[in-house]
Amino acid sequence: MTKVYPNAASPLPQVCGGECRELEADPVSAVLTVWKKSLIFNCDGFTVFGADGRLVYRVDNYMFRNKGEIVLMDALGNCLLTVRRKRLSLSDSWTVFDGETADNPRFFVRKSANLLNTKCVASVTSAGGGRSKNEMLYEIQGSYPRRCCTFYDDKRRQVAEIRQKESSIKGVDFGADVFRLVVNPGMDAAAAMAIVIVLDQMYGSSTARFFLTN
């Protein structure tokens, strides 16, 4: 069986045609392999490996937990960020908090409803904390179901990318459950992973969304 975690020497493949530009990883960029699977039995979640194959982040969604809340943890199980859905929002909208409390919102992620900008799938805005509330931080363009998304900051600089992962073994396909998250300097990798979690709720499988909206 081919390994899910990355080979540090493997290149970043171009798999999305003209819709996604090739992102050449900076020497200090974080190149993560995201596996849409929890390491704990009977849990839905994510397992994220670094370029050296070590566990970096994990998400373990227990069925008995708050169904509108997802916790991003480090390799030791410490809570880094908490993602919560806005229940009364007219749009598909989520808030990302520092740690496990609801006292320190970091940013908001909203599903795009702009019919004039069909490339945009979600927008990320500030929750305050030194910046104006609802100030634009990032725009995500592309297609999450195809694992082909580009993150742009407020100056239109490409700061992160979701891209399909190819196996080094010919004929072996990881499918949509294993993909790369490349985060360039200047963007927090944990924040990028939190955005991935929200995108999965917005555009992922109906089974995953069911657990968090009912």
Side-chain angles (χ1 to χ4, degrees):
M1 179 178 178
T2 188
K3 294 179 180 178
V4 168
Y5 61 76
N7 180 344
S10 62
L12 296 179
Q14 174 67 30
V15 295
C16 297
E19 295 183 11
C20 282
R21 294 179 297 171
E22 182 72 19
L23 176 61
E24 296 181 358
D26 186 276
V28 292
S29 294
V31 182
L32 306 174
T33 292
V34 182
W35 187 13
K36 195 178 180 306
K37 179 180 177 64
S38 170
L39 293 179
I40 297 179
F41 177 73
N42 205 27
C43 279
D44 178 49
F46 290 92
T47 304
V48 185
F49 301 97
D52 58 0
R54 296 183 181 181
L55 182 64
V56 179
Y57 304 121
R58 56 188 293 180
V59 174
D60 302 312
N61 260 346
Y62 297 93
M63 292 185 181
F64 55 80
R65 288 196 62 150
N66 183 346
K67 296 178 181 180
E69 176 182 288
I70 309 171
V71 176
L72 176 66
M73 299 176 288
D74 64 16
L76 299 178
N78 299 308
C79 177
L80 301 175
L81 297 170
T82 298
V83 180
R84 289 190 176 94
R85 184 169 191 169
K86 289 187 175 181
R87 294 290 187 183
L88 302 180
S89 175
L90 295 178
S91 61
D92 199 346
S93 184
W94 299 71
T95 304
V96 178
F97 298 87
D98 274 323
E100 295 183 86
T101 71
D103 300 330
N104 299 301
R106 282 272 301 271
F107 53 83
F108 307 115
V109 187
R110 296 180 176 89
K111 189 174 185 177
S112 177
N114 188 347
L115 298 179
L116 300 178
N117 185 3
T118 57
K119 291 183 178 180
C120 178
V121 295
S123 60
V124 182
T125 56
S126 171
R131 302 188 67 161
S132 300
K133 190 172 181 179
N134 292 320
E135 180 181 351
M136 178 65 69
L137 299 178
Y138 305 106
E139 182 178 288
I140 294 87
Q141 296 186 0
S143 171
Y144 179 77
R146 293 178 58 193
R147 304 301 188 259
C148 179
C149 291
T150 305
F151 295 35
Y152 296 98
D153 67 8
D154 58 339
K155 296 181 175 59
R156 297 299 299 169
R157 294 175 299 194
Q158 188 171 332
V159 293
E161 189 173 38
I162 297 170
R163 185 173 292 282
Q164 291 180 355
K165 178 179 172 64
E166 291 184 346
S167 170
S168 58
I169 301 176
K170 187 175 180 180
V172 175
D173 184 8
F174 284 116
D177 284 348
V178 180
F179 54 95
R180 293 184 187 273
L181 174 62
V182 183
V183 186
N184 277 352
M187 184 173 190
D188 176 38
M193 186 59 212
I195 294 171
V196 170
I197 292 170
V198 176
L199 290 175
D200 191 73
Q201 292 303 307
M202 292 176 174
Y203 298 101
S205 68
S206 58
T207 300
R209 290 198 302 271
F210 177 84
F211 288 128
L212 294 174
T213 59
N214 289 268

